[in-house]
């Protein structure tokens, strides 16, 4: 049975992350800690498979909602990613891109569903490369995790289960539709490669389609895609196999991966997570990007996140540790990276953490990595208020404290 984060901490007898953080955060603020040098392993280069990063700070995917109505990058999106690449981050993971035209989730959402889009994306990747950063395309099957474009066929593992958006379907996906979806991700990965992306990230988390297959709550299938952990993982495995076959053995393929904090009790099961993580690694994945989504106690139609825990930092470190206990594999730790001292501590406690995914602090301040590298004790100004998330949908993604980005 899946447990939520608070229960996990209670039952596992581990120190609450907030306790760990308190010491480090105080140190970072300079209140009690001795002066630190300005070097940090976080600023050092790292090689993850064939992906060479100049430091361990990665912009975690956030839907920017600055694409045109065909899903192509606009000058405005290129400007935002250019600013980020100038800010010192090693790699930008794009906001999720829909790989099936019919799965457009927002009129200004990014899409990567057709080869005719390659030149537009080449402009984007060149702009980022010109400033010394790398760029990774996040590829997603949206499924019922949308409330837009609902006159089109909506994919879901099973019928009549409402998503976080309240969307439900009358008919579960057929096996032909499953094949079509898998092929669409593989085709998009090749497209990304041709457009000059340095990596792709497969979205297997946050209740999007592949994640729904992993979750017994959404996946009630009676065929070989449901009913057991082996069957629930099959769709994700087929995606990774198809992508790896399509892009060749050397191209970096990451996966945003659901932790136990995906819809709390209704979420991914501990055993499933370990089994799926191992299977993904065996099928040629380069690294897992550890994340989570909703918790039942926080669950409401506005789709709130585990990241509502504003008091904690690196809040998926516990999940990363659990995965590392049964699997020796590179992990990107995403969520709550606000302080270099805390991030260093997370790396010290788990040597499989090779890099950090950072989203909201970089929406707040794209030059945060440069500020950290100039002063390791610098505190990110993001207060994790979630305004960028809660106001997402109707406007371009930005921080309420950076109104010029609206
Ligand atoms: C406005 C916004 C949009 C997001 N869009 C995506 C997305 O497209 N794909 C994804 O995997 N995660 C998305 N996320 C989640 C972030 O990548 C990240 O996992 C989460 O915000 C926790 O990291 P943080 O504490 O550094 O913000 C989004 C988050 C925010 C705030």
């Amino acid at each position: 049975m899946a447990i939520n984060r608070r229960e996990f901490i209670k039952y596992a007898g581990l120190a609450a992350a907030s306790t760990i953080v308190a010491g480090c955060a105080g140190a970072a603020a300079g209140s009690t800690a001795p002066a630190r040098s300005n070097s940090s392993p976080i600023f050092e280069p790292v090689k993850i498979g064939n992906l060479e990063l100049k430091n361990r700070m990665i912009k975690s995917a956030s839907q920017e909602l600055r694409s045109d109505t065909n899903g192509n990058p606009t000058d405005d999106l290129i400007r935002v990613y250019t600013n980020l690449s100038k800010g010192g981050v090693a790699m930008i993971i794009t906001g999720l891109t829909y790989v099936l035209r019919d799965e457009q989730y927002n009129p200004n959402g990014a899409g990567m569903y057709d080869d005719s889009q390659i030149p537009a994306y080449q402009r984007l990747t060149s702009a980022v490369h010109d400033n010394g950063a790398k760029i990774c395309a996040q590829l997603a099957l949206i499924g019922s995790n949308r409330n837009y474009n609902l006159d089109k066929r909506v994919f879901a593992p099973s019928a009549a289960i409402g998503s976080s958006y309240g969307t439900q379907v009358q008919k579960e996906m057929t096996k032909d539709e499953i094949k079509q979806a898998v092929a669409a991700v593989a085709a998009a990965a090749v497209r990304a490669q041709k457009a000059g992306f340095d990596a792709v990230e497969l979205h297997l988390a946050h209740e999007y389609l592949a994640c729904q297959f992993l979750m017994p709550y959404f996946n009630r299938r009676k065929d070989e895609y449901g009913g057991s952990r082996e069957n629930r993982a099959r769709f994700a495995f087929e995606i990774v196999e198809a992508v790896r076959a399509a892009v060749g053995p050397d191209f970096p393929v990451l996966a945003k991966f659901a932790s136990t904090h995906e819809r709390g009790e209704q979420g991914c099961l501990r055993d499933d997570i370990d089994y799926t993580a191992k299977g993904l690694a065996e099928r040629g994945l380069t690294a897992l990007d550890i994340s989570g989504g909703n918790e039942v106690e926080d669950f409401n139609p506005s789709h709130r996140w585990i990241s509502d825990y504003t008091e904690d930092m690196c809040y998926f470190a516990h999940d990363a540790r659990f995965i590392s206990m049964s699997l020796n594999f590179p992990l990107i730790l995403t969520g709550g990276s606000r302080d270099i001292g805390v991030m260093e501590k997370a790396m010290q406690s788990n040597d499989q953490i090779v890099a950090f995914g950072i989203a909201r602090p970089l929406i707040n301040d794209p030059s945060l990595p440069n500020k950290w590298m100039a002063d390791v004790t610098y505190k990110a100004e993001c207060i994790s208020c979630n305004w960028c998330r809660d106001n997402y949908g109707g406007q371009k993604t930005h921080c309420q404290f950076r109104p010029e980005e609206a």
Side-chain angles (χ1 to χ4, degrees):
M1 165 108 13
I3 57 170
N4 70 28
R5 182 184 172 288
R6 286 182 182 139
E7 286 166 340
F8 169 73
I9 288 171
K10 194 165 82 196
Y11 293 129
L14 298 171
S18 51
T19 314
I20 298 166
V21 165
C24 296
S31 53
T32 52
R36 294 193 43 180
S37 82
N38 237 16
S39 66
S40 165
I42 309 293
F43 308 149
E44 287 169 7
V46 62
K47 194 166 177 217
I48 312 171
N50 287 320
L51 180 65
E52 291 186 38
L53 300 180
K54 64 182 177 183
N55 61 52
R56 295 169 191 263
M57 297 174 278
I58 296 174
K59 164 70 168 60
S60 188
S62 57
Q63 296 157 53
E64 314 298 344
L65 304 182
R66 292 166 193 267
S67 296
D68 69 20
T69 51
N70 291 314
N72 291 318
T74 57
D75 288 346
D76 189 35
L77 182 70
I78 294 175
R79 181 187 59 79
V80 167
Y81 284 174
T82 300
N83 282 347
L84 272 165
S85 60
K86 287 179 178 164
V89 82
M91 183 169 78
I92 297 165
I93 303 179
T94 67
L96 62 82
T97 61
Y98 52 95
V99 299
L100 286 163
R101 180 73 178 95
D102 284 355
E103 291 204 321
Q104 185 177 30
Y105 55 87
N106 180 291
N108 297 110
M112 204 174 301
Y113 54 85
D114 195 272
D115 287 353
S116 64
Q117 300 178 281
I118 292 173
Y121 276 105
Q122 277 166 339
R123 280 185 62 222
L124 176 70
T125 57
S126 298
V128 170
H129 290 155
D130 285 350
N131 292 299
K134 299 214 158 148
I135 180 158
C136 165
Q138 190 182 67
L139 309 176
L141 292 160
I142 309 296
S144 65
N145 220 18
R146 70 180 199 261
N147 51 13
Y148 180 74
N149 219 2
L150 297 180
D151 55 329
K152 303 281 178 0
R153 168 81 166 114
V154 178
F155 287 158
S158 301
I161 321 283
S163 73
S164 305
Y165 288 86
T167 302
Q168 53 173 275
V169 298
Q170 304 305 319
K171 191 168 152 273
E172 70 175 28
M173 276 177 95
T174 65
K175 288 185 196 162
D176 277 351
E177 286 172 333
I178 289 177
K179 278 200 188 94
Q180 180 196 340
V182 169
V185 185
V190 174
R191 220 163 271 140
Q193 220 179 3
K194 288 183 180 159
F197 283 93
D198 302 283
V200 291
E201 179 169 270
L202 312 174
H203 204 334
L204 308 183
H206 302 172
E207 293 185 27
Y208 289 97
L209 184 66
C211 182
Q212 288 190 358
F213 268 84
L214 295 171
M215 297 166 73
Y217 176 76
F218 285 106
N219 185 346
R220 319 251 174 119
R221 297 179 73 97
K222 304 270 184 276
D223 63 4
E224 66 265 37
Y225 290 94
S228 68
R229 65 178 191 180
E230 289 77 10
N231 287 351
R232 282 189 289 274
R234 195 177 306 279
F235 185 54
F237 289 173
E238 287 180 357
I239 292 173
V240 174
E241 283 166 1
V243 168
R244 180 48 78 208
V247 298
D250 300 328
F251 193 68
V253 180
L254 318 175
K256 189 109 173 209
F257 191 58
S259 67
T260 44
H261 307 302
E262 204 71 60
R263 214 181 168 104
E265 293 283 335
Q266 298 167 342
C268 299
L269 311 180
R270 181 73 263 150
D271 271 2
D272 284 31
I273 289 172
D274 291 343
Y275 172 80
T276 311
K278 189 162 174 284
L280 293 170
E282 286 166 356
R283 283 164 178 81
L285 202 76
T286 309
L288 282 167
D289 180 354
I290 305 300
S291 179
N294 300 309
E295 290 213 36
V296 158
E297 62 191 338
D298 292 325
F299 185 71
N300 69 34
S302 76
H303 198 77
R304 294 182 73 80
W305 291 80
I306 172 70
S307 34
D308 291 343
Y309 290 107
T310 52
E311 79 273 20
D312 290 353
M313 289 197 252
C314 292
Y315 34 68
F316 296 127
H318 296 298
D319 298 83
R321 186 175 313 161
F322 260 138
I323 288 172
S324 299
M325 278 160 65
S326 59
L327 180 69
N328 187 4
F329 196 64
L331 304 180
I332 297 165
L333 185 63
T334 290
S337 289
R338 308 286 183 267
D339 180 289
I340 294 295
V342 177
M343 292 152 75
E344 284 179 2
K345 214 169 170 107
M347 267 178 51
Q348 280 160 14
S349 66
N350 183 345
D351 62 8
Q352 292 175 50
I353 295 173
V354 290
F356 293 83
I358 308 165
R360 289 166 295 170
L362 288 168
I363 296 172
N364 165 265
D365 182 359
S367 61
L368 176 61
N370 280 342
K371 288 183 181 161
W372 270 336
M373 286 188 280
D375 174 4
V376 78
T377 67
Y378 182 79
K379 289 286 289 176
E381 286 181 10
C382 175
I383 54 169
S384 306
C385 68
N386 271 341
W387 187 93
C388 56
R389 177 73 216 181
D390 292 346
N391 289 280
Y392 149 85
Q395 55 187 324
K396 297 168 180 177
T397 299
H398 69 284
C399 173
Q400 61 174 323
F401 301 112
R402 284 176 65 86
E404 74 277 12
E405 288 292 344

